[in-house]
Amino acid sequence: MKRFFVAPILGMAILFLPGISLAGFADVDTTHPHYQAIEFLRSEGIVEGFEQNGERVFRALQPVFRSEAIKVLLLAAQIELIDFLGNPFPDVPEQEWFAPYVATAAEEGIVSGF
């Protein structure tokens, strides 16, 4: 599965954010260049981070899978998930957590296969 970095998405998001100072991810302090964007996305329930040693972490430098990016984009756009009635792509197993997000993105014309 292809990966890309989350920094460009967060960089775009930071342009539209008011000042926010919420407690959030253990690995993102207030001096992080994308602190406000990351905290906004966290506070809106768009990103959850990861559980690590009893703390929530963001892992800002970790590559993002396409399925994770689709989830973030759909949640940010507040697009309601469709019922997963069929498999739009042979490489998207119906039991995977990302299947409803991929199916919704396909239905909305956001993604297409080949």
Side-chain angles (χ1 to χ4, degrees), residues 2 5 7 23 28 31 36 40 42 56-57 65 74 84 90 100 109:
K2 292 185 180 181
F5 290 99
V28 180
T31 62
Q36 288 183 331
F40 175 78
R42 185 199 57 78
R56 297 304 294 177
V57 295
F65 286 106
L74 291 178
F84 190 69

Side-chain angles (χ1 to χ4, degrees), residues 7-107:
I9 294 171
L10 294 176
M12 290 185 298
I14 202 166
L15 297 174
F16 305 101
L17 299 177
I20 298 172
S21 58
L22 304 170
F25 299 113
D27 61 339
V28 180
D29 67 23
T30 57
T31 62
H32 189 284
H34 302 296
Y35 172 78
Q36 288 183 331
I38 293 167
E39 283 300 315
F40 175 78
L41 295 172
R42 185 199 57 78
S43 71
E44 293 294 313
I46 296 169
V47 296
E48 300 172 16
F50 303 88
E51 182 74 24
Q52 180 177 309
N53 300 326
E55 296 182 306
R56 297 304 294 177
V57 295
F58 184 70
R59 300 182 186 161
L61 299 179
Q62 179 173 309
V64 175
F65 286 106
R66 290 178 293 171
S67 54
E68 294 168 329
I70 288 171
K71 179 182 177 184
V72 168
L73 293 172
L74 291 178
L75 290 174
Q78 298 179 343
I79 295 174
E80 193 169 325
L81 295 179
I82 63 169
D83 290 329
F84 190 69
L85 301 175
N87 193 345
F89 306 110
D91 61 341
V92 178
E94 293 184 31
Q95 70 276 8
E96 291 291 341
W97 68 265
F98 55 83
Y101 296 97
V102 174
T104 300
E107 181 70 23

